[in-house]
Amino acid sequence: MAGMSGKRLQKELAKITGVLPPGITLVSAENLREWQMDLTVPDNPIYPADHVYRLKFMFSTNYPIEAPECTFIQLSTPVRKIPIHPHIYSNGIICLDLLDKQGWSPVHNVESVCISIQSMLASNTKNERPPGDAEFVRSNRSRPRDINFLYHDPSV
Amino acid sequence: MSRSRSFSRSPRQSIQARFGFFDASQQPPMPIHSSSNPTGNLLEVTFPPAELQRSMSSNHASLRGMRRLEARRQMEETNYLSSKARSQNLNPPVDLRLLDYVTPYDDNLMCPVCRCAFIDPVVLVECDHCFCRDCIRQTWATTASAYTPLGPRGDCPSCRTPAKLGARSATSKILVNITDDLVVRCPNSEQGCEATVKRGEVQDHVGIYCGYSKQECYAEDCEQPVRRRDADLGCLHYNVTCFDCRETMQKAELEAHWKAKCPDRKVACPQCQEPILSRVLDKHSREMCPAVTVSCPGAVLGCTSRSKRSQAEVHAQTCTLAILAPVLAAQKQRLDEQEVVQRTMSRKLEVLESGFAAVEEILYPKHSVQAKEDDVRADERRIPLLLEDGDSARRRHTRLESTDVEDMDEQFSGFEFPSPTSSRPMSSRLIASLPPSRPAPPPPGPRPQDLPEPFSTDFDMPFPSAFPPPAAHGPYVSPLHHLLSMHEALRDELSRVSTAVQELDGRQSMHTLNENLRMREEMGYLGAQVTGLSRQVGWLTSTQLQRQQHQHGAGVGSSAGGGGMDGIAGAGAGVEAAVSAVGAAASALRGAAQVRAQARRGHSEEGRTKL
C-alpha cells in the first residue's frame, strides 16, 4: 500500500515538474509526504494577480484512496496570505467537499485539486470569511480530515 | 508458624480451614519443636504456605487452558516451519504496481487510481469506466462501509455514477494481453539483475529464473535464504570479514555489501572516472575532482571565467582579479572589524553627548535667559557678594581650584565680550537674544583674546578648541573634570542664592509686620474716636429726653402724655439709627483698612516672587 502511494506520487511529481496549468507552480516536494504549491488567481479583482497563495498538501500512506490534507498556509517570506473566501477559514482550512471523504475520488490528483481550488477562488464574488470564522479558528484543534463539514453551497 | 504448619498437613484440612469448617479444638496445634511427626520437614517443602496454595487451586482451570494454548502455539510454529521448509520460493509475490516500465505506454492504458498500466482490469457495469481490480476494491472498501450482499458496489471514481462490478466484469482479453506485454525491469534490478521481461512473465522470472531472488540453501541443516545464483557454491552462511572495512558478516551478504554498503569500496567518480573511496566521494566531487567546473576565485570581483578545476589554477595565476581577491577579502574583513569598533564607539559617544546635553539643559535653560539675566541683575543690586566684577571672576576661573566659580557671571561676561573669531552658533544666538539697547560696560581687565575662552554651553561642539586646553591653562584634564568643577561651583552659587533669598524673606516679613502694626494703631485710634462719638450722641439724646419729660411733667395732661411718649420713642429710634450709621461707618473703615493691608501684602508677595 505504501508502495502504491509512493509510486503514484512519484509519477505525479514527474508529471508536475514538466508542464503545469498557468498560475500553479510547484514549490517543494521533498519527501513525497508534504508538497507545497503556489497559486495565483486569474481575472478576479478580489485576488490581484500579484498575490500568491501557498497550498500545503499532506499525503497519507493511503493516498490515492484517501484524500490528501490540503490547506492554505501563511508565510512571511515570501509573503503568502490566506485568501479571503466564504469557504476558507482564516487558519487556512478549506471547506471543499472535494477534499473530504465523500467528495474525494482516487481519480483526482494534486493538479486537479489545485485547479479546483483555483477555479473556486476565481469564481468568488464575496470578499468575506465564512460565518463563525473567529469562533472556529479559536476553537478548532482537529485536523481538517477529522472535521465534519456541512457542504451546503452548490454554487461554488 | 506452628499454626501454619499444622494447617498444611494435608490439602483437605487446608480446604476445610478455608471454608471455616476447621475448629481449633478438634486438632490442637502441634508444638514447634515436635519431631514426633516424621514427615514434618517434608511437608514444609512440598506444600507451599496456605495462602499460595489457595491461589493455585483457584487458578487450576486457567492453568490448564494456558497449557492447551501453549501446545497449540507450538503446533502452529512447527506447522509454519515445515511449510516454510516445504516452500522453495522465498520471494514475495511481485507487486505489479511497483514495477519500472521500460517501454512507454499509452495513457489510455493507465488506471486513473494507481497511474499504472492496468493490472487485472475490470469494467464497471453502468459507466464502462475501467480500473484495476485491486484499485476499485480498495476505493470501495473505504467508502462503502455498509454490508453489501449484492457484491462490491459504489460510485465510479471517475464519473460518480453508482456502479458495481458485474459477474463478468473482466475486460476483453485483448486489453489484458496489451498490458501484460509491456516490458518491465526485474524487481531485483537494484540488486543487479539486468533482465527486462514482459510484465506477464515477471512473476515467473522472479520465482524461477532470476539469479538475484532468494531460495533456500541446499546445505543440510541450513534453512537460510541464499541468492539463486549462489546456491551452487555451497552453504555460504558462515561469517567472513570484509577486507576493506573489517566488518563481519555472512559470506552470502558479502557481495551486496561490497557493491552497495561498504564505506571503503572504490567507486568511479562520475566526473573524472577516478576510482574513489565511496565515503569520500562527496568531498571529492565538492572539493577535489579535477573534472568539476569551478568559477575563478576572482568571481567575487567580477571575473566571469569558469573552467575545470585542473585548469582553474592556470587561469588564477594570470587573472588579476583572482590575485587581488584574497587581498581585498582581508581588507574587507579589516574594514568590517573597524566598522564594528566604530559603531560601538559612536554609540558611546552618543550616550555621552546626550548626557552632556542633559547637563547643559539643567545648567543653562535657554528659554529663560532673559528672565535670569534680570534676576541676576536684581541680585547684584542687593547682594554684595555678586558685586565683584567679571575680571576677578575670570581670574578665579583660571586658578587651579575654582570651587566657587560664578558660572552665570562668567557666561554673561563672556557674552559681553564675544571674541571676534568666534563662530560658535550657540553663543552668537545667545548674544542675539540680549537686548540690543543694552549699553556695553567698559571692558575691565585684559581683553578676552589673551584669556582662556570663557566657558560656554557649547562644550559638546565638534571643535576641540571649544574645550579649554587641559594642561596649560586649567585643571580640566577632561570634560568630566570640567563638569564636576562646574557642578561644584553651581552648588556654591545655589547655597549663596538661597541664603540671599532667606535674608530677603526675613526683610519682607519684618516690613509687613511693621506695616501691620501701624495699621492696627490707626484702627485703634479710629475705634476710640467712634466710641467717643457714640458716647456724645448718647449723652445728647439723654439730655433731650430729660428736657421733654420736664415739659410734659410741668404742663401737659395725661392725654398728651401718649403723644409725648410717641415723640420720645421717635426720637429714640432716630438716635438708634444714627448710632447704627456710625457703626456702619466704622465697619466700612475697618474693611477699607483690611483691603489696604491685603494690597500691601500682595505687593510684597509680588516682590518676593519677582526675586
Side-chain angles (χ1 to χ4, degrees):
Chain A
M1 204 55 221
M4 173 178 167
S5 78
K7 199 77 183 173
R8 181 174 150 157
L9 282 168
Q10 272 174 7
K11 288 187 178 181
E12 278 191 42
L13 190 59
K15 185 166 183 291
I16 250 177
T17 41
V19 186
L20 270 176
I24 299 174
T25 46
L26 176 74
V27 178
S28 69
E30 275 123 20
N31 51 4
L32 290 183
R33 288 280 159 252
E34 182 186 322
W35 293 16
Q36 297 198 359
M37 311 282 292
D38 266 349
L39 203 72
T40 55
V41 185
D43 305 331
N44 193 338
I46 298 177
Y47 313 104
D50 56 336
H51 281 204
V52 187
Y53 305 104
R54 177 70 56 92
L55 271 173
K56 186 176 84 169
F57 286 84
M58 303 270 284
F59 302 101
S60 70
T61 52
N62 243 353
Y63 160 54
I65 309 296
E66 251 177 36
E69 273 182 42
C70 177
T71 52
F72 280 104
I73 55 175
Q74 201 157 9
L75 291 177
S76 51
T77 48
V79 178
R80 298 284 183 265
K81 288 181 178 163
I82 312 282
I84 293 182
H85 188 278
H87 294 145
I88 297 173
Y89 290 93
S90 52
N91 54 6
I93 289 179
I94 308 165
C95 176
L96 182 64
D97 68 337
L98 186 68
L99 300 172
D100 197 53
K101 269 195 214 82
Q102 307 97 285
W104 172 253
S105 156
V107 172
H108 289 302
N109 54 32
V110 173
E111 189 185 326
S112 69
V113 169
C114 283
I115 293 174
S116 299
I117 292 172
Q118 196 184 29
S119 74
M120 175 178 112
L121 292 176
S123 63
N124 180 29
T125 52
K126 285 185 253 175
N127 192 6
E128 60 186 24
R129 291 267 181 228
D133 174 54
E135 171 68 22
F136 173 78
V137 170
R138 197 171 58 246
S139 62
N140 179 48
R141 292 286 171 276
S142 53
R143 299 167 62 192
R145 52 180 284 188
D146 301 329
I147 303 169
N148 285 318
F149 286 115
L150 184 65
Y151 304 104
H152 61 280
D153 189 359
S155 68
V156 176
Chain B
M1 182 67 188
S2 71
R3 279 181 76 87
S4 81
R5 195 186 288 174
S6 68
F7 289 171
S8 59
R9 283 179 80 193
S10 76
R12 178 168 296 174
Q13 276 176 7
S14 78
I15 288 169
Q16 280 178 347
R18 190 175 156 199
F19 292 106
F21 298 138
F22 183 71
D23 193 358
S25 63
Q26 279 180 334
Q27 185 96 22
M30 286 174 88
I32 304 170
H33 52 273
S34 157
S35 58
S36 62
N37 188 356
T39 61
N41 279 333
L42 193 68
L43 279 173
E44 198 172 345
V45 174
T46 47
F47 289 101
E51 295 290 326
L52 196 58
Q53 194 169 356
R54 274 177 219 156
S55 65
M56 275 186 72
S57 62
S58 69
N59 282 342
H60 197 239
S62 65
L63 256 178
R64 209 163 36 201
M66 276 174 66
R67 214 170 288 138
R68 203 181 297 149
L69 275 175
E70 185 70 18
R72 181 181 295 171
R73 207 171 62 210
Q74 275 178 0
M75 192 184 73
E76 278 174 358
E77 203 161 321
T78 51
N79 277 351
Y80 169 72
L81 288 175
S82 61
S83 69
K84 194 182 160 204
R86 256 183 275 122
S87 74
Q88 287 295 304
N89 191 4
L90 295 173
N91 303 296
V94 179
D95 189 349
L96 296 181
R97 287 167 177 167
L98 303 183
L99 294 175
D100 283 332
Y101 288 84
V102 178
T103 50
Y105 53 90
D106 197 316
D107 277 354
N108 290 316
L109 297 180
M110 195 174 67
C111 166
V113 176
C114 65
R115 309 261 156 173
C116 296
F118 285 116
I119 300 160
D120 190 8
V122 292
V123 171
L124 299 189
V125 172
E126 278 77 9
C127 60
D128 264 4
H129 277 117
C130 195
F131 302 95
C132 307
R133 190 184 293 273
D134 273 357
C135 291
I136 196 71
R137 276 181 186 278
Q138 282 172 359
T139 307
W140 284 349
T142 53
T143 53
S145 57
Y147 171 62
T148 51
L150 299 175
R153 58 175 60 234
D155 292 349
C156 169
S158 290
C159 62
R160 295 181 192 273
T161 312
K164 67 174 185 193
L165 284 180
R168 287 175 51 82
S169 58
T171 52
S172 66
K173 196 67 184 166
I174 186 166
L175 180 56
V176 179
N177 286 345
I178 289 172
T179 54
D180 276 351
D181 275 353
L182 293 170
V183 179
V184 297
R185 270 197 194 91
C186 172
N188 290 325
S189 59
E190 283 180 10
Q191 277 89 44
C193 181
E194 288 166 358
T196 53
V197 291
K198 288 183 180 175
R199 200 185 75 177
E201 298 160 3
V202 72
Q203 184 68 56
D204 287 346
H205 168 79
V206 169
I208 302 171
Y209 305 111
C210 179
Y212 291 86
S213 53
K214 296 284 201 283
Q215 75 175 48
E216 199 168 293
C217 187
Y218 287 146
E220 296 279 329
D221 304 329
C222 182
E223 292 176 346
Q224 296 184 61
V226 69
R227 292 193 307 191
R228 181 169 287 117
R229 56 185 292 184
D230 299 336
D232 296 333
L233 302 178
C235 181
L236 297 175
H237 297 106
Y238 53 92
N239 282 346
V240 291
T241 305
C242 173
F243 292 126
D244 292 326
C245 67
R246 299 283 159 205
E247 197 184 325
T248 305
M249 70 207 69
Q250 289 194 334
K251 178 87 163 96
E253 299 166 8
L254 189 59
E255 193 184 329
H257 169 79
W258 269 342
K259 273 192 177 160
K261 289 183 204 149
C262 181
D264 289 331
R265 70 185 191 278
K266 293 264 171 113
V267 292
C269 170
Q271 273 95 26
C272 64
Q273 308 304 326
E274 286 276 318
I276 305 291
L277 289 182
S278 73
R279 60 177 171 188
V280 294
L281 182 62
D282 271 359
K283 199 180 169 199
H284 167 81
S285 57
R286 238 189 357 259
E287 295 170 9
M288 293 184 293
C289 181
V292 171
T293 305
V294 292
S295 52
C296 171
V300 282
L301 301 178
C303 181
T304 54
S305 149
R306 285 177 65 85
S307 53
K308 301 257 169 169
R309 203 189 292 273
S310 48
Q311 282 123 39
E313 283 178 21
V314 181
H315 166 79
Q317 281 167 2
T318 56
C319 176
T320 39
L321 291 174
I323 294 164
L324 273 177
V327 183
L328 282 177
Q331 292 276 2
K332 189 170 183 301
Q333 192 185 349
R334 275 187 64 191
L335 264 177
D336 287 348
E337 283 169 10
Q338 293 289 337
E339 203 168 301
V340 169
V341 171
Q342 200 198 341
R343 203 168 294 142
T344 55
M345 290 303 289
S346 69
R347 196 166 300 142
K348 271 186 194 167
L349 192 69
E350 217 170 82
V351 171
L352 278 176
E353 267 184 9
S354 61
F356 280 154
V359 170
E360 179 192 331
E361 185 66 31
I362 293 164
L363 287 180
Y364 316 116
K366 288 165 205 144
H367 58 276
S368 60
V369 165
Q370 189 67 46
K372 219 182 236 171
E373 186 195 17
D374 284 347
D375 279 2
V376 167
R377 296 196 80 74
D379 272 352
E380 274 174 354
R381 266 205 316 277
R382 287 179 195 170
I383 305 164
L385 196 62
L386 278 174
L387 286 177
E388 299 167 324
D389 57 357
D391 183 24
S392 67
R394 227 171 276 120
R395 227 182 302 120
R396 226 185 302 130
H397 157 233
T398 55
R399 280 207 314 262
L400 288 193
E401 64 288 348
S402 66
T403 50
D404 56 346
V405 179
E406 291 160 355
D407 289 299
M408 303 240 187
D409 206 355
E410 270 174 33
Q411 191 190 0
F412 285 104
S413 63
F415 291 154
E416 283 164 10
F417 323 118
S419 109
T421 58
S422 165
S423 62
R424 286 165 297 167
M426 194 171 295
S427 55
S428 60
R429 194 170 70 236
L430 286 173
I431 289 163
S433 72
L434 294 175
S437 60
R438 195 173 160 206
R447 297 294 305 168
Q449 276 86 357
D450 49 0
L451 285 169
E453 287 256 346
F455 282 138
S456 55
T457 56
D458 52 356
F459 48 78
D460 53 348
M461 284 292 150
F463 311 109
S465 64
F467 289 102
H473 296 281
Y476 312 121
V477 186
S478 71
L480 188 66
H481 282 212
H482 178 195
L483 273 177
L484 279 176
S485 67
M486 279 176 106
H487 175 238
E488 202 60 38
L490 200 73
R491 184 175 292 168
D492 287 346
E493 173 82 2
L494 201 68
S495 65
R496 209 168 45 69
V497 166
S498 72
T499 51
V501 165
Q502 275 176 3
E503 188 191 348
L504 206 68
D505 197 27
R507 210 182 284 174
Q508 279 292 332
S509 58
M510 205 63 181
H511 196 68
T512 43
L513 209 64
N514 286 347
E515 285 286 306
N516 271 352
L517 277 177
R518 207 168 55 77
M519 286 299 299
R520 205 170 291 166
E521 271 173 22
E522 227 169 82
M523 273 165 55
Y525 172 68
L526 278 172
Q529 271 188 335
V530 166
T531 42
L533 210 66
S534 67
R535 241 178 238 149
Q536 270 185 348
V537 170
W539 180 77
L540 276 174
T541 49
S542 65
T543 49
Q544 189 81 14
L545 278 174
Q546 278 175 358
R547 202 180 298 154
Q548 280 178 358
Q549 275 175 350
H550 254 291
Q551 284 173 1
H552 278 285
V556 188
S558 65
S559 64
M565 287 302 280
D566 279 354
I568 288 164
V575 167
E576 273 175 19
V579 166
S580 68
V582 167
S587 69
L589 261 175
R590 204 171 288 143
Q594 273 176 356
V595 164
R596 219 176 135 197
Q598 271 176 358
R600 209 172 275 265
R601 201 173 294 138
H603 185 71
S604 69
E605 289 280 334
E606 209 174 76
R608 199 181 296 163
T609 48
K610 220 177 179 183
L611 268 177

